[in-house]
Amino acid sequence: MTLWRKVWCRNILAASLLFCLMLFAIVVHARPANMSAAKDKPPANKDENEILPPDHLNGVKLEMDGHLNKDFHQEVFLGKEMEEFEEDSEPQKNRRKLIDIFHKVDFNKDRSVSAKEMQRWIMEKTEEHFQEAMKENKNSFHAVDPDGDGQVTWDEYRVKFLASKGFIESEIAEKIRNNEDLKLDEETQEVLESLKDRWFQADSPPADQVLNEEEFLSFLHPEHSRGMLQYMVKEIVRDLDQDGDKKLTLSEFIALPVGIVENQQAQDIDDDWVRERKKEFQEVIDSDRNGIVTMEELEEYMDPMNEHNALNEAKQMIAVADENQNHSLELDEILKYSEYFTGSKLMDYARNVHEEF
């Protein structure tokens, strides 16, 4: 091979490597560094998924780490049918499903959906999520209740949790019985301490470190308990509150997670983060419009069974697709804005739309 050809080949290889590195950098910095990605990752194993409190709660506006729930609109519009739209991407089938949902939401059958009808529907779908959580909790509780006595001690839960992390269950149980050092790595120890705090919060008075099935539901799903919902709010405020006054200002709520913007794509995502959180803070969470969000305001915002919140959400959802500005939704409007309501973009949404009536 001639010298110039060797040089040319080396240059091509170097350029290809540089391009791959650039692509990798874009992927790494495509979202703020602290952004929760729990829903993007498959569970490490089934047992761990069953007994660990989920990072994401269906029908709740904020994630456990204080990030906005990007799927909230779809969750409160679709309920348990949300998975069907995710799994089936065929536009025609999704279109038929959406039309069927429209007719169910249209309670008085006047071919339009009012804010009150949408509010009623949102409450029904939220209740569906609650029922699903209770069903899953029953299975999870049995998984950590080895003797079937209807009660789980903190030590019993610790054994099952550590077994799900790869520790040998019999050895861990023996060490806990003998009060021996478990020799845990720092990360596992931190998770365990956080879970213990949460366990104590879910333990209804008189505190005995023992949870029944209802208390265990509060442990896994704080949205089912007013006390645990308050605990969740305190945790979120603690993470976001920069001056320690136990309240949130706009600047605290929209502050970007720690990270460095290194390219335009990351900058655009950061801009979206700030814009979305600013809108939510000013228009929804800060109910008295004084520029400060108290724990009480955040708690009301987080409560999935708050009927006033459901009505406000209904009005917001209608406003997104209400092209004729009549404060209600017709079928063609919902079909046109299907991606907002279902996460599924329909093609030819208006084709034969009137035939569906």
Side-chain angles (χ1 to χ4, degrees):
M1 182 181 292
T2 63
L3 179 60
W4 72 266
R5 185 177 293 275
K6 290 180 180 178
V7 172
W8 179 79
C9 289
R10 283 200 300 269
N11 289 341
I12 290 296
L13 181 61
S16 299
L17 180 59
L18 179 61
F19 180 72
C20 290
L21 288 172
M22 289 173 65
L23 283 178
F24 177 75
I26 289 174
V27 171
V28 167
H29 297 285
R31 64 193 301 175
N34 257 13
M35 191 78 75
S36 174
K39 289 188 289 180
D40 300 330
K41 299 177 182 178
N45 61 61
K46 190 173 187 296
D47 290 337
E48 181 179 347
N49 187 49
E50 285 179 345
I51 65 175
L52 273 177
D55 293 321
H56 173 73
L57 303 172
N58 287 328
V60 179
K61 284 202 164 190
L62 289 185
E63 306 287 8
M64 297 294 289
D65 57 8
H67 292 78
L68 295 179
N69 176 5
K70 300 293 186 180
D71 297 326
F72 178 77
H73 303 304
Q74 295 158 27
E75 289 168 358
V76 296
F77 184 74
L78 297 176
K80 63 184 180 182
E81 295 176 307
M82 187 172 178
E83 292 182 4
E84 296 181 19
F85 279 85
E86 290 176 350
E87 294 170 0
D88 184 1
S89 59
E90 187 178 335
Q92 277 301 108
K93 287 185 179 180
N94 284 343
R95 181 175 177 276
R96 286 195 293 271
K97 291 175 189 173
L98 186 51
I99 291 170
D100 184 53
I101 290 173
F102 173 85
H103 291 310
K104 291 177 181 177
V105 183
D106 179 20
F107 186 68
N108 64 6
K109 306 305 177 188
D110 66 350
R111 300 186 179 184
S112 69
V113 171
S114 66
K116 281 291 185 181
E117 286 174 322
M118 185 68 83
Q119 177 198 30
R120 173 181 171 274
W121 181 257
I122 287 172
M123 295 299 293
E124 285 184 8
K125 297 298 106 177
T126 302
E127 180 62 28
E128 280 186 9
H129 289 305
F130 267 52
Q131 294 300 322
E132 186 65 23
M134 291 173 67
K135 180 180 177 181
E136 292 173 357
N137 179 71
K138 187 175 291 291
N139 295 330
S140 301
F141 185 78
H142 290 323
V144 296
D145 182 21
D147 52 16
D149 65 351
Q151 295 183 319
V152 177
T153 67
W154 168 244
D155 284 343
E156 286 176 330
Y157 179 79
R158 262 202 303 173
V159 169
K160 291 296 183 181
F161 166 74
L162 292 172
S164 76
K165 303 293 284 185
F167 292 86
I168 299 175
E169 185 170 333
S170 58
E171 293 182 2
I172 288 294
E174 181 70 19
K175 287 185 177 182
I176 288 177
R177 250 191 322 269
N178 297 329
N179 202 27
E180 297 179 25
D181 182 15
L182 300 180
K183 297 179 180 179
L184 304 177
D185 61 89
E186 185 177 349
E187 181 181 353
T188 301
Q189 185 62 43
E190 287 179 358
V191 171
L192 204 54
E193 288 174 0
S194 176
L195 289 173
K196 188 174 183 180
D197 289 342
R198 185 167 174 155
W199 186 275
F200 286 161
Q201 289 293 326
D203 185 11
S204 300
D208 54 8
Q209 298 187 33
V210 177
L211 301 189
N212 58 30
E213 188 173 320
E214 183 178 350
E215 291 168 328
F216 194 72
L217 174 65
S218 297
F219 172 70
L220 291 185
H221 289 272
E223 75 274 21
H224 285 248
S225 159
R226 175 60 69 174
M228 285 300 289
L229 191 63
Q230 291 170 346
Y231 172 73
M232 182 177 171
V233 166
K234 288 178 182 177
E235 292 289 290
I236 290 174
V237 170
R238 185 195 65 185
D239 290 342
L240 301 180
D241 179 22
Q242 297 174 5
D243 59 12
D245 66 352
K246 298 182 180 179
K247 300 175 184 177
L248 296 179
T249 62
L250 175 61
S251 61
E252 288 173 330
F253 190 73
I254 67 174
L256 285 168
V258 178
I260 300 174
V261 175
E262 295 189 0
N263 56 58
Q264 186 57 48
Q265 184 177 357
Q267 180 64 62
D268 291 342
I269 292 176
D270 285 349
D271 290 344
D272 288 341
W273 159 274
V274 171
R275 184 164 48 252
E276 289 172 2
R277 290 179 77 84
K278 183 176 181 180
K279 185 175 186 293
E280 197 73 9
F281 183 98
Q282 294 178 329
E283 298 181 11
V284 186
I285 309 177
D286 182 17
S287 57
D288 60 7
R289 304 293 190 270
N290 69 345
I292 300 291
V293 165
T294 63
M295 285 191 178
E296 290 75 20
E297 285 177 315
L298 191 59
E299 183 183 333
E300 289 305 304
Y301 169 79
M302 295 278 290
D303 183 3
M305 296 306 290
N306 184 313
E307 292 188 5
H308 178 70
N309 285 351
L311 181 58
N312 285 337
E313 186 62 33
K315 291 177 180 177
Q316 289 182 57
M317 293 175 75
I318 287 173
V320 167
D322 184 19
E323 290 194 338
N324 61 11
Q325 298 295 299
N326 66 348
H327 306 294
S328 63
L329 291 181
E330 282 71 51
L331 179 57
D332 61 331
E333 291 173 325
I334 283 187
L335 289 174
K336 184 173 182 178
Y337 289 86
S338 63
E339 194 166 12
Y340 174 80
F341 292 101
T342 70
S344 173
K345 190 172 183 178
L346 306 182
M347 305 301 293
D348 300 326
Y349 71 91
R351 182 186 299 171
N352 299 325
V353 65
H354 297 294
E355 294 179 5
E356 304 295 344
F357 288 107

